[in-house]
Amino acid sequence: MRLSRAFVPTLKETPAEAQIASHRLMLRAGLVRQTASGIYAWLPMGLRVLRNIGEIVRQEQDAAGAQEVLMPTLQPAELWQRSGRYEDYGPEMLRIKDRHERDLLYGPTNEEMITELVRGGVKSYRELPQILYHIQWKFRDEMRPRFGVMRGREFLMKDAYSFDIDQQGAVNSYRRMMLAYMRTFQRLGVKAIPMVADTGPIGGELSHEFIILAPTGESHVFYDAAFDDIDVSRRAIDQDDPADLARFFGALTAHYAATDEKHDTAAWEQVDPARRREGRGIEVGHIFYFGQKYSKPLGFTVAGADGKPVIPEMGSYGIGVSRLVGAIIEASHDEAGIIWPDSVAPFRAAILDLRAGDAATGAMTSDIYARLAGNALLDDPDERAGAKFADADLMGLPWQIIVGPKGAAKGVVELKRRATGERHEVSVEDALGKIG
Ligand code: 5CA
């Protein structure tokens, strides 16, 4: 993308409405704009990050054997009346009437709808287990939307749903998703810790929140340093082996980890003081095992091995895809701006032409831009070098390739790594090799 032609409305001033770093930086770097309270439009740079995160989430869901579907945002009220949640959900649910006076709602989550879909197509225990997911916009009429995309009213969620013939199968699916989550967050470049959680309006008996550490997080968290050493690689754990999954789950849940809501001081005292860690965290995922809470009222049964009807056991698994954009920034920024992890950055590199209009720097930056094949932002407008440096740091692309007239004459560029601030004079070949 050439900055001279791009819609990247950066702001010099700090917007007054933004209380936390990620919200400020998302507005200043031109990633999003608010269109109504808690509702955001995603601009080109923000959308690229949102898509990159969604793609990593998708790949890890697919790798875990979950199948992607796409359910609509609007749902008939009747479905929710059958599960009993239409009344329970209260004012957080956006209720809508169509022209025929039929009641609809903008989905805050999809347990009812997916149960109804699977009920229509799965008749026998032989067709289970199934795990289905989609990445779709949700609406929750939050009392206090705040912190930008972190607590919005409309937000993008990945929600997966598992169906098993018995409790043992359902617990295995839960563990499988937990492993997929650990792998997902690792690829996203953030450290996530699963913590025992309340189940709230989703319900159920087993639930974990995935919390990423960031100084501005909403909850205070306490955890054992043992979490730093858990290996979730494919080499270490075979997701198709229930015994392996059980061992992994055991290791992950054996150590103390809790948010302030669930903090147990007596249990905390038992943790070796040298291993106690405290900080603040942001909930980026939440998983639930709730048995027959939806399958039963919605009348979903399958024929069991003996031909008798069995009510399937279910779980649901959410990741806040749009919240993650803000959460990753909270976990990875400095005074100057965003520091994108390589895996989610909107582009690999910014190319800074320090003398726009100059034939030599223009030829060199155009060549580098072409060779980075669409994965670079070319800062080509006629601006002061200082303003370009500030913008590049604000936008936080992992690499900066700085091209000035002296370097262009010698055939060299300056390559800067945003995360460390390290700068080296290198040849174009070496710069491209490093960027990869
Ligand atoms: N049906 C279940 C799991 S599929 C569910 O809805 N779980 S949830 O309520 O915990 O939401 C899942 C994730 O969505 C949360 O962990 C959080 O990361 C994200 N999320 C929830 N509410 C908001 C919101 N108002 N703004 C942005 N993200 C949100």
Side-chain angles (χ1 to χ4, degrees):
M1 194 157 81
R2 281 178 184 271
L3 201 54
S4 56
R5 314 266 332 120
F7 184 54
V8 185
T10 54
L11 304 173
K12 298 261 175 308
E13 306 300 323
T14 299
E17 75 267 30
Q19 299 166 25
I20 60 168
S22 61
H23 190 192
R24 277 196 295 274
L25 291 170
M26 287 183 74
L27 293 171
R28 284 195 51 216
L31 305 185
V32 291
R33 286 292 181 263
Q34 180 172 291
T35 58
S37 169
I39 304 180
Y40 289 84
W42 292 81
L43 307 186
M45 291 283 270
L47 183 59
R48 291 180 72 96
V49 178
L50 189 69
R51 289 233 173 99
N52 290 345
I53 295 173
E55 190 48 36
I56 289 174
V57 169
R58 174 178 285 119
Q59 285 171 7
E60 292 300 326
Q61 290 291 294
D62 291 347
Q67 305 156 76
E68 188 169 10
V69 296
L70 184 57
M71 291 177 272
T73 52
L74 295 185
Q75 305 187 22
E78 178 265 334
L79 199 51
W80 287 65
Q81 282 152 354
R82 280 166 53 204
S83 73
R85 273 208 295 184
Y86 192 60
E87 299 310 323
D88 292 355
Y89 223 96
E92 266 203 14
M93 180 184 277
L94 180 63
R95 294 152 209 263
I96 304 163
K97 270 195 199 302
D98 71 10
R99 68 200 298 167
H100 305 293
E101 294 287 305
R102 276 189 290 252
D103 290 313
L104 298 169
L105 58 100
Y106 192 129
T109 175
N110 285 66
E111 280 80 6
E112 286 80 355
M113 185 171 276
I114 194 81
T115 306
E116 190 65 4
L117 288 167
V118 175
R119 183 172 88 95
V122 169
K123 303 295 175 196
S124 155
Y125 76 96
R126 284 194 210 90
E127 295 158 74
L128 296 181
Q130 293 277 347
I131 306 180
L132 298 165
Y133 76 97
H134 72 163
I135 301 178
Q136 179 60 293
W137 294 93
K138 306 289 186 290
F139 194 93
R140 293 182 186 172
D141 206 349
E142 300 272 351
M143 178 86 104
R144 284 213 307 141
R146 60 200 166 125
F147 305 150
V149 300
M150 296 255 270
R151 184 167 297 283
R153 293 197 299 162
E154 191 186 44
F155 59 96
L156 190 61
M157 193 201 287
K158 184 286 298 180
D159 37 328
Y161 302 88
S162 66
F163 297 84
D164 279 88
I165 194 67
D166 54 22
Q167 181 173 2
Q168 200 187 339
V171 168
N172 191 62
S173 292
Y174 186 91
R175 293 171 178 166
R176 204 178 167 93
M177 276 291 133
M178 202 170 206
L179 176 60
Y181 274 39
M182 294 303 285
R183 289 175 172 165
T184 303
F185 295 124
Q186 191 173 56
R187 278 185 66 189
L188 292 173
V190 288
K191 182 181 167 58
I193 300 175
M195 304 196 181
V196 175
D198 286 326
T199 57
I202 309 293
E205 45 211 81
L206 176 62
S207 178
H208 286 89
E209 285 176 352
F210 287 78
I211 305 281
I212 67 172
L213 302 173
T216 49
E218 281 191 278
S219 15
H220 195 97
V221 298
F222 305 82
Y223 67 98
D224 189 317
F227 280 101
D228 295 338
D229 306 321
I230 294 174
D231 182 358
V232 298
S233 67
R234 292 191 160 73
R235 182 176 31 78
I237 309 152
D238 174 6
Q239 64 171 3
D240 294 320
D241 178 357
D244 240 18
L245 279 182
R247 256 195 309 279
F248 155 75
F249 183 75
L252 217 53
T253 51
H255 305 294
Y256 190 87
T259 62
D260 37 14
E261 282 172 13
K262 286 263 176 182
H263 187 50
D264 172 352
T265 25
W268 185 235
E269 297 292 313
Q270 304 298 313
V271 178
D272 174 356
R275 294 208 324 238
R276 288 186 206 157
R277 301 283 182 275
E278 271 184 63
R280 299 200 71 83
I282 302 167
E283 180 204 317
V284 288
H286 200 160
I287 62 176
F288 306 80
Y289 159 64
F290 43 69
Q292 302 173 337
K293 181 171 192 272
Y294 301 93
S295 42
K296 198 170 180 178
L298 293 168
F300 179 26
T301 61
V302 296
D306 57 3
K308 295 209 181 94
V310 181
I311 304 173
E313 294 270 321
M314 292 175 57
S316 75
Y317 314 89
I319 290 184
V321 176
S322 50
R323 173 177 289 184
L324 267 163
V325 180
I328 290 171
I329 296 174
E330 288 300 332
S332 185
H333 70 272
D334 62 14
E335 294 283 281
I338 302 169
I339 304 173
W340 288 118
D342 293 273
S343 59
V344 304
F347 294 99
R348 292 284 292 153
I351 307 163
L352 281 62
D353 184 343
L354 297 189
R355 189 173 289 172
D358 177 82
T361 61
M364 197 165 188
T365 52
S366 292
D367 172 53
I368 298 169
Y369 180 62
R371 289 169 68 183
L372 282 168
N375 209 351
L377 179 71
L378 174 54
D379 188 343
D380 55 351
D382 185 10
E383 273 269 4
R384 286 182 303 113
K388 293 196 178 207
F389 293 140
D391 265 359
D393 281 353
L394 169 64
M395 289 188 238
L397 303 183
W399 298 97
Q400 296 171 16
I401 305 169
I402 302 156
V403 181
K406 282 201 199 110
K410 286 194 288 179
V412 295
V413 300
E414 227 187 323
L415 182 66
K416 174 174 161 182
R417 180 77 175 152
R418 173 65 179 92
T420 60
E422 274 176 78
R423 293 163 75 132
H424 296 288
E425 204 175 72
V426 294
S427 69
V428 171
E429 296 308 321
D430 285 353
L432 291 172
K434 270 236 161 82
I435 290 169

